[in-house]
Amino acid sequence: MSFKKHLIISTLIRVFLIYYGEVQDSLSDVQYTDVDYRVVTDGANHVLALGSPFKRHTYRYTPLLAYLVLPNLLVHPSFGKFIFSLFDILIGVLIKWILLNCYRSNKISIETKLLKLETLNNRNKYLIKRKNEILNSNNEALPPKYIRMAEISAYCWLYNPLTMIIATRGNGDCVSCSLVLLSIYFLLKNEQTFVQYFVAGLFLGLSIHFRLYPIGFCLAFYLATQNRTLEKWHDIVRSILKPNPKQIALVLGTVVALGSTSALFYWLYGYQFIYESMLYHLVRKDTRHNFSLYFYLQYLSSTFDVTVLEKVLTFLPQLILILMLTVRYGQHRQTLSFGLFAIAFVMVTYNPVVTSQYFVWFLSLLPLCVKNFRNIGIRKAVFIPVMWFISQGGWLLPAYLLEFKGWNTFEFIWIQSIVFFFSNVLILQMLISNYDIAYNYKID
């Protein structure tokens, strides 16, 4: 079956889930539609009345999201779900494009090195011409098995039930995920021009505007645009302080996109935009819908203000891990995708607030690394997702009893949050230990 047919099938599944959600919402107390979808729609209603979306209590997103779902009020209440589902499908397409581009890049790199050695000893005109063709071509033919591998990786996203449900419930995180993948696509393209890196920066800046988490990717993006490996810390600092033209283009694009959108909405909505869409997420507490290890701490201290020391101790572990993963995997184009996945996984696992939609941050990057886990073994390949879903299920039961039955299950939720945290730590350790970069270079 062709990739286009798979796209059609996965689209139809999402359409079915949207209509199923309409039925469940009308018949069940447990609503299929995400409460945030209703919040964003209410914000769009204020925008339609030429007001601020932040007039809607708990609206804490970019105003662009409210603009995006304006058809909810003009066409159909579920129109925004179709928009988010299209972005969800786009992620699958981008996964295939990125992997094909990586395979081509590696193939070109290997062939170029081989031809360079041959042309040093043989000044054959054909070899010289062939070398120039390789250097100037982006459409080098790939073995069918690598095209197939790129498509299988995309199917890991397109047919993932968790990501399908999250998008069709009306969650907009797929928008920021698609922007992150677009930035990766342009960053890893073979041309390596100033414009290419500038465009990559534009998409990175927009993704940060939609969601703050891609800030954790910035240093990895920056280091991946260098031309050599940095093994010592003073070399890394020197690289940051003395950027090359590609790094300048990347930073310029990021600043232009993030700065212009932030300035525009600050001009329209003032400080409330800065606080609600950005600063609030640094001090946010969630004592009812939170997978986080810090859930019970937040519940017990919900009536107290967050101290600076508490925030530092909360974010310090993930900052240290992000820096270590960036230096280990972010310096090379070949390992950048896995580095970004590991960073996103750490950010979600160690974050003070963790909800189900946050999982798409790293699940959208995981398919880019599937090819590097061929030696993981069938037992581990089954054990990892089973453990992850079971640890979630153990949390969801007491959370359901608290939310819908009114039972006092806070301590049980806390225990399950601890189990979920250590499950994630174990999963990341297993993935890192079984990550094999050699498969990036095995081109026939």
Side-chain angles (χ1 to χ4, degrees), residues 59-125:
Y59 186 95
R60 298 186 175 100
Y61 320 95
T62 169
L64 283 176
L65 204 57
Y67 297 165
L68 198 61
V69 300
L70 280 174
N72 287 4
L73 306 169
L74 302 174
V75 181
H76 190 275
S78 294
F79 197 95
K81 296 179 182 179
F82 287 98
I83 295 176
F84 296 150
S85 295
L86 286 177
F87 277 101
D88 204 43
I89 295 296
L90 175 61
I91 290 173
V93 175
L94 288 170
I95 288 169
K96 179 184 176 181
W97 288 358
I98 292 170
L99 287 174
L100 288 179
N101 186 65
C102 289
Y103 281 131
R104 291 192 188 102
S105 178
N106 293 332
K107 187 172 186 290
I108 291 171
S109 176
I110 294 168
E111 290 186 353
T112 302
K113 291 177 180 179
L114 292 174
L115 282 169
K116 186 176 181 180
L117 291 174
E118 293 182 24
T119 51
L120 286 175
N121 299 316
N122 184 357
R123 306 302 293 180
N124 186 292
K125 290 183 178 180

Side-chain angles (χ1 to χ4, degrees), residues 44-57:
N45 196 22
H46 287 291
V47 170
L48 196 62
L50 303 181
S52 168
F54 299 105
K55 288 183 179 180
R56 193 340 178 150
H57 180 60

Side-chain angles (χ1 to χ4, degrees), residues 16-34 38 81 165 168-169 400 404:
F16 168 77
L17 287 173
I18 291 173
Y19 282 105
Y20 165 79
E22 294 289 322
V23 176
Q24 179 174 322
D25 288 347
S26 63
L27 299 177
S28 174
D29 292 334
V30 181
Q31 297 287 288
Y32 183 85
T33 300
D34 194 327
R38 306 186 191 282
K81 296 179 182 179
I165 291 172
T168 55
R169 291 184 67 218
Y400 169 80
F404 294 97

Side-chain angles (χ1 to χ4, degrees), residues 164-236:
M164 284 193 290
I165 291 172
I166 289 175
T168 55
R169 291 184 67 218
N171 182 267
D173 278 83
C174 52
V175 179
S176 58
C177 291
S178 62
L179 291 171
V180 168
L181 287 172
L182 279 167
S183 64
I184 296 173
Y185 172 73
F186 281 98
L187 187 80
L188 299 181
K189 284 188 71 175
N190 298 326
E191 293 89 342
Q192 299 189 31
T193 62
F194 183 92
V195 174
Q196 168 194 331
Y197 289 104
F198 180 78
V199 173
L202 288 177
F203 283 116
L204 180 60
L206 281 175
S207 66
I208 295 172
H209 176 77
F210 265 88
R211 276 291 197 179
L212 294 180
Y213 80 91
I215 288 178
F217 302 157
C218 288
L219 183 57
F221 270 70
Y222 187 85
L223 294 179
T225 57
Q226 63 192 345
N227 300 318
R228 60 190 179 90
T229 302
L230 304 176
E231 298 181 354
K232 298 181 179 179
W233 285 101
H234 63 81
D235 291 331
I236 297 175

Side-chain angles (χ1 to χ4, degrees), residues 293-305:
L293 178 68
Y294 304 103
F295 160 76
Y296 202 52
L297 172 65
Q298 294 180 16
Y299 169 68
L300 295 177
S301 62
S302 58
T303 58
F304 301 98
D305 293 331

